[in-house]
Amino acid sequence: MKLLLKIWRQKDGSSKGKLVDYPIDGIEGDMSFLEMLDVLNQELIEKGDEPVVFDHDCREGICGSCSLMINGEPHGPDRLITTCQLHMRRFNDGDTIVIEPFRATAFPIIRDLMVDRTAFDRIQQAGGYISVNTSGNTVDANAIPIEKAKADESFEAASCIGCGACVAACKNASAMLFTSAKVSQFALLPQGKVEATDRVQNMVRQMDLEGFGNCTNTGACEVECPKGISLENIARMNREYLMATAKG
């Protein structure tokens, strides 16, 4: 398969970037998208050129590192997968593929296709935890009855991998889907009730401080999310926030 790759190249966050053309040949349909980039980088290295910098780790759709904008879509044309799970059979011989980093003020570019998503870490640190008694009088978590429906909803929210596709897909670069998933996974469980009031206020405050935009209910975030995180989590977080602020 022959392809024309138009890849965003940028030395660092303060430098001006541009799309650079890279013709590539010999790409097989069974290759993953990242393996295709590996082939390109090997060719660039052999020519003495700088390889394209992109983020990756597990390559199993778990870590959320491989966040690329492919032909204008976060993680590419497929649904419910990450970039590393996208295979080249989704493209045709002779296709032009535009590859860019996720675009958001809160995700500054580090180099080429790699962005800094530590804003998500700071939101999580602001309230994404529960109190645990480690004094020796701990209570077995399995001793606390939890409704099956609530447990399932909590697990679904907790499946968020923090890739940032929701932010990249949103016209406002909103992080509401990510933040609401992290709030919901605790709000739905009795273990999360202790810090519930502080958690939602602190995490929303940190989200705003990071420079993410507001949610206008477009729904692009849910469509592009590789884990299918539901917009219902945003509604839940709004309810949690209203109740928390009403308590003063």
Side-chain angles (χ1 to χ4, degrees):
M1 188 188 302
K2 290 183 179 180
L3 300 166
L4 175 61
L5 307 178
K6 291 181 173 290
I7 301 178
W8 186 263
R9 302 303 305 264
Q10 187 170 338
K11 185 177 180 180
D12 52 49
S14 59
S15 300
K16 186 177 181 180
K18 63 178 181 179
L19 287 169
V20 178
D21 289 357
Y22 294 101
I24 192 169
D25 196 358
I27 300 302
E28 299 178 7
D30 289 338
M31 287 181 177
S32 73
F33 199 85
L34 296 190
E35 287 172 336
M36 180 273 294
L37 290 178
D38 290 338
V39 170
L40 172 65
N41 275 345
Q42 185 62 40
E43 292 180 0
L44 293 175
I45 290 170
E46 289 173 359
K47 293 177 183 176
D49 295 333
E50 283 288 326
V52 176
V53 175
F54 61 94
D55 213 351
H56 63 96
D57 190 4
C58 74
R59 298 200 177 200
E60 294 180 348
I62 299 170
C63 70
S65 297
C66 58
S67 301
L68 299 178
M69 189 70 80
I70 302 167
N71 286 343
E73 294 186 81
H75 296 303
D78 275 347
R79 293 291 174 263
L80 300 176
I81 64 166
T82 55
T83 300
C84 63
Q85 296 173 302
L86 176 66
H87 284 82
M88 296 311 297
R89 66 178 73 96
R90 280 297 269 115
F91 302 94
N92 299 312
D93 185 44
D95 277 357
T96 296
I97 305 175
V98 181
I99 310 170
E100 299 174 89
F102 280 1
R103 304 287 190 183
T105 301
F107 290 165
I109 291 177
I110 296 174
R111 188 182 179 96
D112 294 340
L113 303 174
M114 181 183 285
V115 299
D116 182 353
R117 287 172 295 151
T118 53
F120 273 7
D121 295 334
R122 290 187 288 273
I123 293 172
Q124 183 80 345
Q125 290 162 5
Y129 52 83
I130 61 172
S131 292
V132 178
N133 186 346
T134 58
S135 65
N137 298 314
T138 54
V139 178
D140 186 345
N142 292 328
I144 303 174
I146 301 172
E147 296 175 24
K148 176 70 164 55
K150 295 293 185 185
D152 288 346
E153 286 182 288
S154 177
F155 273 116
E156 288 169 6
S159 68
C160 169
I161 57 176
C163 66
C166 52
V167 175
C170 179
K171 61 184 179 181
N172 306 319
S174 172
M176 286 283 278
L177 193 67
F178 166 80
T179 307
S180 67
K182 298 307 178 184
V183 168
S184 290
Q185 72 184 64
F186 297 118
L188 288 158
L189 302 177
Q191 294 93 333
K193 300 301 182 184
V194 178
E195 295 94 356
T197 299
D198 290 337
R199 176 184 301 112
V200 68
Q201 292 186 88
N202 291 339
M203 293 183 77
V204 169
R205 183 183 303 112
Q206 188 63 43
M207 177 184 70
D208 291 340
L209 287 173
E210 297 294 342
F212 292 105
N214 293 321
C215 173
T216 50
N217 297 312
T218 303
C221 53
E222 180 180 350
V223 172
E224 300 293 355
C225 176
K227 299 302 177 181
I229 303 297
S230 173
L231 287 174
E232 291 178 4
N233 291 293
I234 295 179
R236 182 178 298 107
M237 184 176 75
N238 286 337
R239 291 193 297 270
E240 290 283 319
Y241 188 80
L242 287 172
M243 288 188 291
T245 53
K247 292 177 182 178

